[in-house]
Amino acid sequence: MTIEEIIAAVKELTVLELNDLVKAAEEEFGVSAAAGVAVAAGPAAAAEEKTEFDVELTDVGAEKIKVIKVVREVTGLGLKEAKEAVDGAPKVLKEQASKEEAEAIKAKLEEVGAKVTLK
């Protein structure tokens, strides 16, 4: 068979059959197709696997005092520093937070009416 004939045959396979073919090739040759896919995907794959986020306070909302209290709680800042952070919105409150921590901070701030962006 020529390469063109093989490619033509692969094009005719269903998704399930193609999956079985990949598994069989991995077992037969002792390789993993995942490495090649990750390299081919490039920057898109890296964006999907993001594990650290910056938590940015984008809008304080109507409950400024409550937002200041939450900012103090999640950042450990003193009253003066937390007020300055809130007054300086949009402002990054936490850098390189884990996904879970960033989502928890976002939820707490949104509960008191603030708007938050994870970057």
Side-chain angles (χ1 to χ4, degrees), residues 1 4-25:
M1 287 184 96
E4 290 79 21
E5 291 171 333
I6 294 171
I7 291 174
V10 169
K11 285 182 180 180
E12 300 297 319
L13 297 176
T14 66
V15 174
L16 292 175
E17 292 170 332
L18 187 57
N19 187 39
D20 291 341
L21 174 65
V22 170
K23 286 180 183 177

Side-chain angles (χ1 to χ4, degrees), residues 42 78 92:
V92 174

Side-chain angles (χ1 to χ4, degrees), residues 21-22 25 38 41 48 53 68 78 83 85 89 93 96 98 100 103 116:
L21 174 65
V22 170
E48 291 175 26
F53 298 86
I68 291 171
K83 183 181 181 310
L93 300 176
Q96 298 180 348
S98 69
E100 294 80 20
E103 288 176 351
V116 178

Side-chain angles (χ1 to χ4, degrees), residues 20-81:
D20 291 341
L21 174 65
V22 170
K23 286 180 183 177
E26 287 175 338
E27 290 174 13
E28 179 70 26
F29 300 109
V31 296
S32 173
V37 171
V39 171
E48 291 175 26
E49 297 173 13
K50 187 171 183 179
T51 57
E52 293 183 339
F53 298 86
D54 292 345
V55 181
E56 180 182 51
L57 176 65
T58 54
D59 184 30
V60 177
E63 301 286 339
K64 183 177 176 180
I65 293 172
K66 290 181 181 179
V67 174
I68 291 171
K69 287 181 181 180
V70 173
V71 168
R72 287 187 68 198
E73 176 189 335
V74 299
T75 63
L77 294 173
L79 180 59
K80 180 182 177 190
E81 293 84 3

